[in-house]
Amino acid sequence: MRVSVPDESWQNVLADLPVDVIVWDGRAPQPEGRIDLAVWPYTLDPSDMAAVDASRIGLIQGQSLGYDGVAAVLSAGGRYANAVDVHEDSTAELAVALLLAAVRDLDVFGAQQAQGLWRKSWTTSLLDRRVMLLGVGGIGRRVAARLDGFGCEIVRVGSRARDDEHGHVHGTDELADLLTTVDAVVVAVPLTPDTEGIVDAEFLARLRDGAIVVNVARGRTAVTEAVPAEAGRVRYASDVFDPEPLPDGHPLWSAPGVIITPHIGGMTSAMAPRIQAVVRGQVERLLAGQEPADVVVDHRDAPGS
């Protein structure tokens, strides 16, 4: 069995398994022959996959949870698995950090520190606040768990209304009315045709004065141009943007009440052991003749495969 890894740091991860490990960073020419599993570099955009002959790779294992754009570029015969249980906890951690930073004006106090100013002011709190969780999947569930104990009311919104072990989930068809009732929204939806641009001018306009939007989903879930018009009335703390990187001189850089992090939700010390466990699990499944886990794009039946 032949496995490609993005760099030398992976060599010891699979050293005890009966596999032939080669290094391929996704940018260099594709190695000759068949690769049974290729670990796709975390830093490469899915568009770089367009140059890959996926029919000669049994499975491409991504290191990201999101996989928007992969289906459009993966060639016939290819399969792609996303990285489940790798980034969810760290992204949820950042979502709560951004929410707390916005609630307690930590960006304001940080700016004061840079100027050597000791200036007290009252802030809001999560206590007694109503927080909408827009998206109840892997990241959303972990955000909800971390908010438990902060003394806020959680309003969960998913693609459809339903009840589960944690209570009621509202459907997105109720979103317009619900937005007028909440003090904060954490956006943690996958990027789909239904969620693209969901945070638009109408969404923001329906929020109360002083409300907070935290976005840890995908950049295209928000209409970036709509945010500056509401900045100051509504606070916006986001790890994801459209486009990325956010260009020099973009209005968001200087908009009041905006907190920006450069898409680093999963970039923590927790990532390496988790993605390594995912890859080892896939290799062990393939060695045992089993189907790989978490395949989200499968073009084996596509024309030309």
Side-chain angles (χ1 to χ4, degrees):
M1 181 172 170
R2 197 174 184 219
V3 177
S4 74
V5 293
D7 56 64
E8 297 286 348
S9 68
W10 281 84
Q11 291 283 12
N12 293 332
V13 175
L14 306 174
D16 60 324
L17 296 175
V19 296
D20 177 22
V21 178
I22 62 172
V23 175
W24 176 44
D25 66 3
R27 293 191 184 279
Q30 184 172 345
E32 295 293 329
R34 181 173 175 81
I35 297 173
D36 296 285
L37 186 146
V39 181
W40 192 249
Y42 183 59
T43 54
L44 287 191
D45 189 85
S47 61
D48 291 289
M49 218 175 290
V52 173
D53 179 2
S55 67
R56 293 196 286 116
I57 302 175
L59 176 72
I60 297 177
Q61 174 63 58
Q63 297 190 58
S64 297
L65 180 63
Y67 54 94
D68 44 285
V70 172
V73 298
L74 188 68
S75 63
R79 284 193 297 178
Y80 179 91
N82 66 334
V84 176
D85 290 333
V86 174
H87 302 287
E88 292 92 328
D89 285 302
S90 290
T91 302
E93 182 178 83
L94 179 63
V96 175
L98 287 171
L99 180 59
L100 287 170
V103 164
R104 297 304 302 268
D105 289 347
L106 296 189
D107 57 324
V108 175
F109 294 121
Q112 290 179 187
Q113 177 182 341
Q115 300 175 62
L117 297 177
W118 181 280
R119 185 178 294 161
K120 294 185 180 183
S121 59
W122 292 91
T123 73
T124 52
S125 171
L126 281 182
L127 284 167
D128 307 323
R129 299 295 162 178
R130 187 170 160 91
V131 179
M132 176 189 290
L133 186 54
L134 181 54
V136 292
I139 294 173
R141 287 194 300 272
R142 288 160 170 86
V143 172
R146 281 158 177 77
L147 287 177
D148 185 33
F150 274 99
C152 54
E153 177 188 358
I154 303 297
V155 179
R156 297 184 300 148
V157 179
S159 58
R160 57 180 176 80
R162 59 193 183 275
D163 293 305
D164 61 19
E165 66 273 21
H166 301 294
H168 187 63
V169 177
H170 297 271
T172 50
D173 57 337
E174 306 171 66
L175 186 59
D177 291 333
L178 288 171
L179 285 170
T180 65
T181 72
V182 298
D183 301 291
V185 181
V186 178
V187 184
V189 292
L191 181 62
T192 69
D194 291 331
T195 63
E196 184 166 1
I198 194 169
V199 181
D200 57 10
E202 181 181 354
F203 181 110
L204 295 169
R206 297 188 74 85
L207 291 168
R208 299 169 174 173
D209 289 356
I212 297 165
V213 176
V214 172
N215 193 352
V216 292
R218 276 290 190 264
R220 296 208 314 275
T221 59
V223 179
T224 307
E225 294 75 17
V227 177
E230 295 288 350
R233 188 188 74 81
V234 172
R235 302 212 63 188
Y236 190 72
S238 185
D239 187 48
V240 292
F241 300 89
D242 179 30
E244 288 185 5
L246 200 62
D248 291 344
H250 193 282
L252 278 184
W253 286 116
S254 56
V258 172
I259 299 175
I260 294 170
T261 55
H263 204 153
I264 44 80
M267 294 178 65
T268 74
S269 57
M271 178 183 167
R274 284 162 175 75
I275 188 60
Q276 290 167 7
V278 166
V279 171
R280 282 185 62 90
Q282 295 287 45
V283 170
E284 289 167 354
R285 288 184 191 91
L286 295 175
L287 286 171
Q290 300 171 356
E291 286 295 305
D294 304 315
V295 174
V296 289
V297 180
D298 191 340
H299 285 177
R300 288 177 298 173
D301 294 328
S305 60

